[in-house]
């Protein structure tokens, strides 16, 4: 039972053998890199980059909810990305 | 005129979300282009490296997705270029490229 579920995931047209899986999965790396950078001093934060990440994160959050099918992975990812961007901006403002 | 009409009605045209997603995404490469005028101390090695891999993956994604999204491809090609440039600036500054780093030169100048 579990075996066939795993198989259907593995062979899925948007599964781990395709770019449609890895590209969005890797997008989480951006938010993770941002979280790692929380420990950097705020002088090194780039306003344009963080604002860009924040805005694209917010807009993609909405975008992922209005497309069919709804893409919860992208939604979560975008919210998180926007959150890290916002946090970096507030760190720098302080 | 015909070209405009084809664009307007295209499956990746301005009536679709396939178009506006990348429009929004241009913020990232543009922000990076603005940052190329900043001193290299400010570059984050983590983020820049991640961006290089990310845009390479998404260039392939934009090519393979149905409908093929050349706008997204152009966006990530631009981002890839700018991020690779920033990465080279970062590497040069940190001394990964062999010649004496600017950081070392600065430190020596201060002492």
């Amino acid at each position: 039972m579990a075996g066939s579920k795993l198989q259907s995931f593995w062979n899925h047209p948007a599964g781990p053998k395709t770019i449609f899986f890895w590209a969005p999965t890797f997008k989480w790396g951006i938010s993770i890199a941002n979280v790692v950078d929380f420990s950097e001093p705020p002088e090194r934060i780039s306003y344009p980059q963080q604002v860009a990440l924040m805005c694209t994160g917010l807009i993609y959050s909405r975008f992922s909810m209005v497309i069919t099918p709804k893409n919860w992975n992208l939604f979560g990812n975008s919210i998180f990305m926007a959150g890290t961007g916002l946090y970096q901006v507030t760190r720098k403002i302080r | 005129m015909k070209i405009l009409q084809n664009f307007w009605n295209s499956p990746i045209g301005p009536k679709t979300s396939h178009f506006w997603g990348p429009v929004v995404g241009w913020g990232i490469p543009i922000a990076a282009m603005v940052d190329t005028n900043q001193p290299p101390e400010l570059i984050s090695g983590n983020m820049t490296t991640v961006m290089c891999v990310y845009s390479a993956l998404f260039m392939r994604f934009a090519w393979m997705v149905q409908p093929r999204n050349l706008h997204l491809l152009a966006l990530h090609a631009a981002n890839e270029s700018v991020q690779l440039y920033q990465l080279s600036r970062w590497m040069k500054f940190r001394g990964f490229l062999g010649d004496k780093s600017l950081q070392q030169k600065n430190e020596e100048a201060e002492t």
Side-chain angles (χ1 to χ4, degrees):
Chain A
M1 173 93 168
S4 71
K5 264 202 170 164
L6 219 52
Q7 257 194 336
S8 55
F9 170 67
W10 182 251
N11 291 319
H12 195 274
K17 289 195 267 187
T18 72
I19 187 69
F20 304 114
F21 177 79
W22 290 107
T25 305
F26 192 77
K27 198 163 183 181
W28 280 99
I30 297 180
S31 305
I32 292 169
N34 226 3
V35 169
V36 168
D37 279 349
F38 282 169
S39 56
E40 294 284 343
E43 300 78 41
R44 289 198 51 216
I45 297 175
S46 148
Y47 259 135
Q49 185 187 64
Q50 295 300 326
V51 169
L53 286 180
M54 200 170 76
C55 291
T56 55
L58 286 171
I59 297 186
Y60 268 89
S61 306
R62 170 174 156 70
F63 173 75
S64 64
M65 289 293 105
V66 300
I67 55 173
T68 39
K70 287 192 188 184
N71 192 333
W72 289 100
N73 188 17
L74 185 62
F75 180 68
N77 194 356
S78 306
I79 293 271
F80 192 62
M81 201 160 93
T84 61
L86 177 65
Y87 182 62
Q88 292 281 55
V89 169
T90 55
R91 280 185 72 211
K92 191 156 171 95
I93 290 177
R94 266 187 262 128
Chain B
M1 206 44 216
K2 194 84 189 339
I3 295 176
L4 280 177
Q5 264 192 332
N6 285 341
F7 172 65
W8 184 250
N9 291 320
S10 148
I12 55 166
K15 288 196 271 188
T16 72
S17 54
H18 297 294
F19 179 79
W20 294 104
V23 167
V24 169
W26 275 105
I28 294 179
I30 289 171
M33 287 175 205
V34 168
D35 277 345
T36 55
N37 295 323
Q38 301 284 352
E41 298 92 47
L42 300 184
I43 300 175
S44 156
N46 291 329
M47 182 63 88
T48 312
T49 313
V50 165
M51 283 279 176
C52 288
V53 179
Y54 162 77
S55 276
L57 288 175
F58 267 90
M59 275 165 57
R60 170 75 181 160
F61 177 91
W63 185 255
M64 293 305 294
V65 78
Q66 288 295 338
R68 180 160 284 175
N69 197 332
L70 295 178
H71 185 182
L72 191 69
L73 179 65
L75 166 71
H76 282 292
N79 197 34
E80 185 71 25
S81 313
V82 126
Q83 298 293 342
L84 283 172
Y85 175 59
Q86 286 285 70
L87 191 66
S88 72
R89 286 179 75 216
W90 178 81
M91 286 172 76
K92 191 165 189 191
F93 182 72
R94 304 282 161 177
F96 290 123
L97 293 184
D99 13 297
K100 221 187 241 182
S101 71
L102 296 177
Q103 200 176 23
Q104 275 179 321
K105 283 185 190 156
N106 285 336
E107 283 165 14
E108 279 162 19
E110 279 166 25
T111 52

